[in-house]
């Protein structure tokens, strides 16, 4: 039995073979049959493992809360990549972007300068990559799981040094003024079921 069959590929399917100089940001939209949430990091395709229940609930909680509280000119959206450059298109879990950054129903990515906030929920299969602070966004949140509840690490870019500084660590309740004033009850993640 081949490894291809073990991974569920049919006899006529093949894994994508990268070009000698790696994939580009444009390739990510053209390659057929990529798994959901495929990212491009340094010209390499990065596949993610299935999401955990905590991950899915945390993303839903944050996206809904941000969308509900965002000013009219901003929207929260998930499952979109950021085209950092020719060889990098990461996919943070939630983005907050201006509504005018919408280029139409076929849009698959945003420019870094359009991203007001990027949120990454750390996954067990990629903690080092998920804990990287994404360049170019003025606000970045890293979300970790602690006893079934989200803990949100809030970063803001210092314009003088162009580097990120930790501005707060939030347990149970997230209350911030930037990029817009909002509050999120982090314990609401388990409103409909156990945190186990």
């Amino acid at each position: 039995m081949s490894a291809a069959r073990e991974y569920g590929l049919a006899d006529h399917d093949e894994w994508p073979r990268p070009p000698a100089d790696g994939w580009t940001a444009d390739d990510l939209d053209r390659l057929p049959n990529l798994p959901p949430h495929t990212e491009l990091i340094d010209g390499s395709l990065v596949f993610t493992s299935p999401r955990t229940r905590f991950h899915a609930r945390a993303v839903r909680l944050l996206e809904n809360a941000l969308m509900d509280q965002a000013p009219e000119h901003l929207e929260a959206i998930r499952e979109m990549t950021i085209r950092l450059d020719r060889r990098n298109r990461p996919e943070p879990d939630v983005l907050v972007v201006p509504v005018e950054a919408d280029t139409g129903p076929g849009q698959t990515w945003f420019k870094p300068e359009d991203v007001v906030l990027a949120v990454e929920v750390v996954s067990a299969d990629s903690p080092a990559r998920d804990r990287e602070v994404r360049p170019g966004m003025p606000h970045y949140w890293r979300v970790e799981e602690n006893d079934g509840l989200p803990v949100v690490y809030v970063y803001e870019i210092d314009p003088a040094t162009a580097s990120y500084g930790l501005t707060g660590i939030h347990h149970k309740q997230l209350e911030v003024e930037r990029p817009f004033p909002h509050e999120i009850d982090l314990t609401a993640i388990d409103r409909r079921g156990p945190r186990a």
Side-chain angles (χ1 to χ4, degrees):
M1 181 180 285
S2 74
R5 286 185 186 264
E6 291 172 16
Y7 285 99
L9 294 176
D11 288 333
H12 61 278
D13 290 335
E14 292 186 23
W15 291 109
R17 290 188 172 87
D21 59 346
W23 302 107
T24 67
D26 291 333
D27 292 330
L28 200 57
D29 291 327
R30 293 191 288 253
L31 288 166
N33 305 318
L34 290 178
H37 313 294
T38 300
E39 296 180 283
L40 182 70
I41 307 296
D42 294 329
S44 296
L45 297 175
V46 177
F47 307 118
T48 60
S49 63
R51 306 286 193 208
T52 64
R53 186 175 182 138
F54 169 81
H55 191 282
R57 284 178 161 185
V59 169
R60 181 182 59 210
L61 172 71
L62 295 169
E63 180 192 26
N64 289 343
L66 287 166
M67 191 66 184
D68 287 347
Q69 297 179 48
E72 288 296 312
H73 71 283
L74 297 175
E75 74 168 318
I77 191 164
R78 63 179 163 190
E79 299 176 1
M80 296 286 291
T81 60
I82 303 169
R83 185 182 176 135
L84 296 178
D85 56 38
R86 184 178 170 275
R87 296 171 46 84
N88 289 281
R89 270 183 60 187
E91 183 184 309
D93 291 305
V94 180
L95 299 174
V96 174
V97 296
V99 293
E100 66 263 12
D102 182 341
T103 63
Q107 182 176 4
T108 59
W109 54 270
F110 290 99
K111 298 180 284 188
E113 58 267 25
D114 290 333
V115 178
V116 175
L117 167 66
V119 179
E120 190 68 62
V121 179
V122 175
S123 298
D125 69 327
S126 58
R129 189 173 71 248
D130 288 347
R131 289 179 179 136
E132 284 179 21
V133 176
R134 309 289 183 172
M137 281 56 75
H139 300 274
Y140 174 76
W141 296 355
R142 187 183 85 239
V143 182
E144 304 264 353
E145 183 265 334
N146 184 22
D147 291 330
L149 293 175
V151 177
V152 181
Y153 297 78
V154 175
Y155 298 87
E156 187 172 342
I157 202 158
D158 178 346
T161 63
S163 61
Y164 286 94
L166 181 67
T167 61
I169 301 172
H170 302 266
H171 303 261
K172 295 187 180 178
Q173 183 75 20
L174 172 73
E175 185 174 349
V176 295
E177 291 298 315
R178 297 181 47 91
F180 52 88
H182 57 279
E183 295 180 29
I184 301 174
D185 176 5
L186 299 174
T187 67
I189 193 170
D190 66 348
R191 247 188 213 139
R192 295 193 177 212
R195 294 183 281 128

